[in-house]
Amino acid sequence: MGRYLLRRLGFALLLVLVVSSASLLLTRLAPGDITSEQALVLDPASLAKLRTELGLDRPLAVQYASWLAGVVRLDFGRSLLYSRPVSTLIGERALNTAMLASVALVLATVIGLPLGVYSGSRSRGVGRASVRVLSVLALSVPPLIGSLGLVFLAARTGWLPVGGMTSAAGIDQTWAQWLVDLARHLPIPALALALPLAATLERLQSQAIEKATREPFVAASRARGLGHAQALIRHAWPVSLRSVLGLYGIMIGSLFSGSFVVEVITSWPGLGRLMYDALKARDLYLVAGCAASGAFFLAAGTWLADVLLAFADPRVRSQEAR
Amino acid sequence: MTRRAALFVLALTALSLAAPLLAPYDAGLAFRDFLHAPPMRPHLQGFAAPVVHPIVLADRLEQRFEADQTRTIPLPWFGGTSDRPVFLLGADNFGRDVLSRLLYGARTSVGLALFATVGAVLIGAPAGAWAGLRGGWVDDAVMRVADFVLILPVIYVVLVLRAVLPLVLPASTVFLLVAWIFVAVGWPFVAKGVRAIVAAERDREYVLAARSLGAGPARILVHHLIPACSGHLVVQATLLLPGFILAEATLSFVGLGFPDPVASWGTMLAEAGNYNAVARFPWTLAPAVAIFAIVLATNLIASPDDRTS
Amino acid sequence: MNRQPRALLSVLLLGLIAFTGWRWWSGQQPPADSGTEIVFSDVTTRGGVLTSSLRSEPRSFNRWVERNFPTEFTSQLTQSTLIRINRATQEIEPALAESWIASPDNRTFTLTLREAAWSDGAPFTSADVLFTFQAIYDPKVNSILAGSLKVNGQPLTVTAPDARTVVIGYPGVFGPGIALLDNLTLAPKHKLEAALAAGTFSQAWGVASPVNEMVSLGPFVLSRYEPGQRLVFDRNPRYWKKDSAGVALPYLDQIVAEVVPDQNAELVRLQAGQIDMLQQQVRPEDIATLRPLVDQGKLQLLELGVGTDPDVFFFNLRQPYWAKDPRGGWITRREFRQAISHAVDRESFANTVYLGAGVPIWGPITPGNQKWFSPNVPRYAFSLERAKALLAGLGLANRDADEWLEDDKGTEARFTVLTYRGNSSLERSAAVLRDDLRPLGIAVDVVALEQGALVERMLKGDFESIFFVYSASALDPGMSPDLWLSSGSAHIWNIGQATPATEWEKQIDDLMRQMMSSVDQAERKRLFDQVQNIFAENLPALYFVAPRMYIGVSSRVGSLTPAILRPQLLWAADRITVRSPGTGQGGR
């Protein structure tokens, strides 16, 4: 199993390298750069000087080599848009994205799993059917549509603040105030991300429970006199959890892709929003840095999925299935 | 479910082709005195054709309108033209009919998704079949590439790709470009499944029998393996289609898809991204509802419940 | 098989729930804000915190090398000049020079400096003025202010007979006279001398420098910069200005500029009362959103009048660009542009683009610039017939089955307009232009580009036509030779010509040079009116509508003197007051 995971790790690292290099090279090839914005107010000589300072006039190969050398030291260069190191910016923003993603993940779990256990353990009933209908509805609300809908709802009713992570609050804010403020801004983007995931979890959990309840030992435990609920929680659920676990790694990946559009719509200051702004301003190093970290998180997610799967599925462990 | 999926795809194709017949106005026709005009409610008058009350501008700066209750005008489909426009789904920020744009937008958005889906299947299926049939290094190479594409942060890659291409492009070129980008990220989904099926079927008795009877690989592929995969292909296509519709919407939403005058669901949604405006003009969310409906339909068709029961 | 009815039942149940929810929700009144009532009395003149938004962050605090709005904004609050042009009245006012005398030939100004100190206590003297000029003219510094502090391309000469006196010599007579010194942002010699000597002046005062390095001569000092979050300005206790009652300015204790990159988010925060003002005008389409707050007395919506920087549409008039193009024969002709001007219904344009909040214009100087506006420039009435006649004169006619015109060689009358993406008024303007030229048979392709990409194309001359907006820094056209002179770097339709490409550009050059070197205001106006006439006849750039400008500001903010140029309110930050001082949140 160790070799398998190692190989997958190598694969993940390759992915990060290829994606970030490609985005650096591609962005470089695109017309216009960060100095274009200044061009109107600078004469050609000072423009050339500015480009030299920023290293934009060097040949592509040289620029790439020095960028790569920096990346090894986790130095992604300087953002020309914000005049700050790219790594600092990404660090801050990645934290926000991570916060959003983890809240969404928890939300999806809290909603999805219990409903899944419930609907899976019932063979019929209005409750089960309602869960099914809700789940198929939620599954049909991709983050783009979900965030637009929720933002509309919030803007219309004024129940929750729209846009950003915190309100432009006073500077002498206590931690508690900040937390409350954050908690009011989180629901919309988190829910937009969590809805389809919760539905996916519900379905998987439901199927898994259904299968598990048919296992002989669960039936046996019921025969021993355990109540329905007890048998479910103590025996069926742990068995079913195994197949659900494998999904989490994949979900991290989809959370990451989904968070791009949610962040753009709700102005959440995360990685996706940063990449969007960087692309618009053609901030070369920032685009490459964002793509690199994006690929990194995705690769990490995929790898985690592999690890979880390896633990959950004995077949992967034993025969190193690809 | 295969039949239902095929029907669904057919219906979408029909919808995307029917825009010029159904749409009351041209997608680009702007009524300048009706910016953000609200939807009008059709009234039935006995058995006569439904009518609406025309609206008049009450305050231009605040974009308020009032219905003129004293007059009625017939709906555009039931004959009778009027100098007053009829907006069943309201008007957008240029005074263009949202309903017409939604229909013409279906042609762009759904058309693009259909095109990309067909492309992904046409490339993914042979690639997967080849890998499954040949095995060995071919299998390894194709599947590695597919795996790689599958775990790419697609949205970021598409954004970067689209951003480096020249921005001054006619709509038809954008259509093809975006479609090809979608094909490039979509084929592995098809290929992986096909490979698995082909690899499994390869050694089944009937294939072995065909081979022993002297059938070449091409014949086996066409006569035995492709039919075995058809179910999977239809399911995959049904899943890819809404994915591509959504991808187009996302791309155009952030301004890297179609340019504005082109009606597509993404360009229409771009306006709904302004949350101050959307609270006042909810009808600009119409394409979101359309996308939701399509995704819902796909989910109902491809629902695992139906497969188990 | 008994699954179906149950599923149906649950769908019905859910539908019912959703429906009742909807009924209940739609029955609700629009969000009635139950916040506390605003009390209109008890206006405190001193103290309080004002919170503004800022769309982007500064890339540097070095006003002498960085030209971005956030830098300029910081400079407005923390720095000072010798004299200043009152943004509201356009009059020259004393600032750190308390008085001055002009020589009879209007070429030498002797200024007497005020007794003042930098925020760290160091005295402000004539040495600082000399140092500032030295830094700005230093080629190594490459200051963005250098160009605006030259007359006919020549630097000014500066001497300081004593610590309180500065003598400034102009290389020639300059019409705006001492108003030129409004561009001179003073630099502290005691803080920046070493950097200038070491050749690192242009890197000094970067965003990472400690804030106490950046000593202030203005009403506020930068006390905190939290990247990505906010800039905090505290009152400068050593600020020299006092009000008429002798109270030391500024009135405010603190100004907080919150960084809100998103325009929509910014508006939401203004609505919620989390910020007191924006740093740009309210878009016409947002006025309806703010109206309820105005009605509730929480917000004041100030109409500043007609804007002075209207959106402009122009063709590429560099002949080499069109040399190989089959359209070259007619697309750069004056008649083609005149036909377009005739074909645009400016009333309808204003209605669509600015929701009626705009006035038709026929030249770059709008009625908002009262001093220089000329109502008598040639106008192009809306007339498709006139437009068609002009096009026919160019040999453009519909020669085939489609709806577009062709020239005698069969080339279609079609061109591309570039515009800024994300600027709603420009995007709408370009679309309206496209729609208006369609009945003429001229096809227009609109391409929205990011600002940077568009400007790069403009500078390279790689465009057919552009619809964009260009902000002038001053209302006096004599202060923007870069736009008017054919050799100028902002002569957008044909930048930086060695010699004037056309007869009329030469005429404008001559008239502008006379106008700039004249000190007689009536004469200057007369000369500039001629320039405007020539401009309107030849239409190197087309102007259609100038929007009315609105500013939204919280009702708790008082003593405002709005100006038409940015920053519309904070240019006079030292006199602004707020109610309920103490909290940054404005007690709503």
Side-chain angles (χ1 to χ4, degrees), chain A residues 3-25:
Chain A
R3 263 192 57 209
Y4 166 71
L5 290 180
L6 221 65
R7 209 178 60 192
R8 301 295 297 178
L9 188 66
F11 197 62
L13 285 178
L14 182 73
L15 176 88
V16 175
L17 185 74
V18 170
V19 169
S20 50
S21 305
S23 43
L24 181 83
L25 302 182

Side-chain angles (χ1 to χ4, degrees), chain A residues 148, chain B residues 249 252-255 260 264-274 284 287:
Chain A
L148 280 174
Chain B
S252 298
F253 182 83
V254 299
D260 168 69
S264 91
W265 290 353
T267 54
M268 291 175 73
L269 277 183
E271 198 202 331
N274 176 347
T284 51

Side-chain angles (χ1 to χ4, degrees), chain A residues 46-113:
Chain A
S46 13
L47 199 62
K49 209 185 122 212
L50 179 65
R51 294 176 62 112
T52 314
E53 264 171 39
L54 299 175
L56 293 172
D57 61 334
R58 294 176 299 170
L60 184 55
V62 177
Q63 217 178 337
Y64 178 58
S66 73
W67 180 78
L68 212 57
V71 168
V72 178
R73 304 187 308 268
L74 275 186
D75 172 10
F76 289 95
R78 238 182 132 66
S79 159
L80 311 172
L81 180 62
Y82 297 93
S83 17
R84 292 168 61 203
V86 169
S87 43
T88 324
L89 274 170
I90 287 181
E92 282 171 24
R93 300 299 192 93
L95 203 68
N96 294 344
T97 297
M99 171 159 47
L100 176 61
S102 38
V103 169
L105 202 61
V106 169
L107 213 60
T109 308
V110 169
I111 299 173
L113 290 191

Side-chain angles (χ1 to χ4, degrees), chain A residues 222-248:
Chain A
R222 285 210 67 181
R224 275 209 320 273
L226 279 175
H228 177 71
Q230 253 179 320
L232 204 64
I233 298 304
R234 220 186 280 169
H235 295 286
W237 193 51
V239 176
S240 71
L241 209 55
R242 206 174 259 177
S243 56
V244 176
L245 221 56
L247 193 67
Y248 273 84

Side-chain angles (χ1 to χ4, degrees), chain B residues 28 30 32-33 35 60-63 93-94 96 167-168 255 259-261 273-276 280 305-306 309, chain C residues 3 262 264-265 267-268 271 283-285 288-289 291 348 351-352 355-356 421 428 431-432 434-436 447 449:
Chain B
R32 292 203 185 158
D33 285 335
L35 310 188
R60 189 184 297 277
L61 187 56
E62 298 186 8
Q63 302 187 330
N93 59 344
F94 282 101
R96 299 175 297 204
L167 287 155
V168 192
D260 168 69
N274 176 347
Y275 31 75
N276 299 306
R280 291 169 54 211
D305 291 350
D306 295 321
S309 62
Chain C
R3 234 188 85 225
D262 183 79
N264 295 321
L267 197 71
V268 168
Q271 279 176 279
R283 296 176 294 186
E285 60 260 41
T289 309
R291 183 68 72 193
S348 159
N351 287 345
T352 310
L355 306 179
R421 178 192 300 290
R428 278 205 297 266
V432 167
R434 178 187 64 212
D435 291 351
D436 277 356
V447 177
L449 292 182

